[in-house]
Every structure is written in structure tokens, then in C-alpha cells.
Amino acid sequence: MVFLLLSIATFSQNKKESPIDALESKCLNKGNISNADMCNCTIQARESWDKELNKYYNLLKTKLPKEAFETLKESQKQWLVYRDKEYSFVSKYFYEVKQGTMWYPAAENKKKEMVKARAVELEEYYKMLEY
């Protein structure tokens, strides 16, 4: 068990920047870009992370025992409910409470980070199946 935990910790520390993050950084660092352009860069990254999330969800579907996958499926349904409610809060917070277009990229980044975190989590579950 200790070896497994150390392997996971080592694996997590050795990660380099993901291709999705690299593309987003490149898009954001084009120079003098508008808030709308920044939002578009981050929305594209979020959509890419969503594809990664679905990729690993489907890979887990093919590899997990049926009962384990059913538990993951229920977890994913609950995560989607959480995500949608959190998206709603983030939008209200950054668009209405904070106000101003300078907060729009922050809102989109927050949404992207939620999807990215879940995608990475599912990827880690999948990769741990190989150990």
C-alpha cells in the first residue's frame, strides 16, 4: 500500500504541462487580447478537458467490473449536478456580484478548472488500473 501511494505521489510530481494547458497558454499569450478573447481561449480549453473527461470515463467503462462502473456512473451523475450548480453560482458571482467584464475570464477559468480536475481524477483512476 505504501508503495502504491509513493508511486502515485511520484507520478503526480513528474507531470509536465498538459497539451491542453499549453494550447490555452499560447492562446492567452498572443499579446494584447480582449477579455472576450481570453474567455474564448479558456472555453476552448474547458471543452478540451471535457473531451478528456469523457475519454477516461468511457475507458473506465470498458475496464472496470460492472458493479464498480455503476458506482462511478452514479458518482458522475452527481458530479454533473454539482458542476451545473457550481457553474450557476460562478456565473452569478463573477457576472453579478463582482461585476465588470474583467471578471468574465476569471469565471470561465473557474469553470474550466472544475472540469480539468474531474478529467485528471478519472485519468488517474484509469492509469492506476495498470498497476
Side-chain angles (χ1 to χ4, degrees), residues 11 13 32 36-38 59 68 90 97 105 107 116 127:
F11 173 75
Q13 291 173 359
N32 193 14
D37 291 335
M38 284 188 251
L59 285 168
V90 165
V97 175
K116 176 183 175 179
K127 289 183 175 181

Side-chain angles (χ1 to χ4, degrees), residues 10-17 120 123-124 127:
T10 302
F11 173 75
S12 297
Q13 291 173 359
N14 290 335
K15 282 190 173 183
K16 58 182 179 178
E17 183 179 41
V120 168
E123 178 184 9
E124 288 173 351
K127 289 183 175 181

Side-chain angles (χ1 to χ4, degrees), residues 90-131:
V90 165
S91 293
K92 285 209 177 291
Y93 182 78
F94 285 104
Y95 301 160
E96 295 173 21
V97 175
K98 294 302 285 179
Q99 298 181 345
T101 58
M102 67 181 256
W103 293 106
Y104 291 13
E108 293 307 325
N109 188 62
K110 195 79 167 143
K111 293 174 187 178
K112 178 206 66 177
E113 288 298 322
M114 281 189 290
V115 176
K116 176 183 175 179
R118 183 62 174 170
V120 168
E121 189 173 53
L122 293 181
E123 178 184 9
E124 288 173 351
Y125 284 136
Y126 178 75
K127 289 183 175 181
M128 282 190 284
L129 286 172
E130 303 300 316
Y131 288 107

Side-chain angles (χ1 to χ4, degrees), residues 62-112:
T62 66
K63 295 281 187 176
L64 288 173
K66 182 178 172 72
E67 292 159 8
F69 178 73
E70 288 302 316
T71 303
L72 172 63
K73 185 176 175 181
E74 185 58 33
S75 172
Q76 189 64 15
K77 285 180 186 178
Q78 293 301 315
W79 181 84
L80 290 168
V81 169
Y82 163 77
R83 181 205 63 191
D84 292 347
K85 296 221 181 269
E86 192 67 13
Y87 277 10
S88 179
F89 171 70
V90 165
S91 293
K92 285 209 177 291
Y93 182 78
F94 285 104
Y95 301 160
E96 295 173 21
V97 175
K98 294 302 285 179
Q99 298 181 345
T101 58
M102 67 181 256
W103 293 106
Y104 291 13
E108 293 307 325
N109 188 62
K110 195 79 167 143
K111 293 174 187 178
K112 178 206 66 177

Side-chain angles (χ1 to χ4, degrees), residues 48-62:
S48 294
W49 280 115
D50 192 55
K51 287 178 185 172
E52 283 293 295
L53 185 156
N54 287 315
K55 172 183 143 183
Y56 284 102
Y57 177 84
N58 288 319
L59 285 168
L60 286 163
K61 184 178 183 178
T62 66

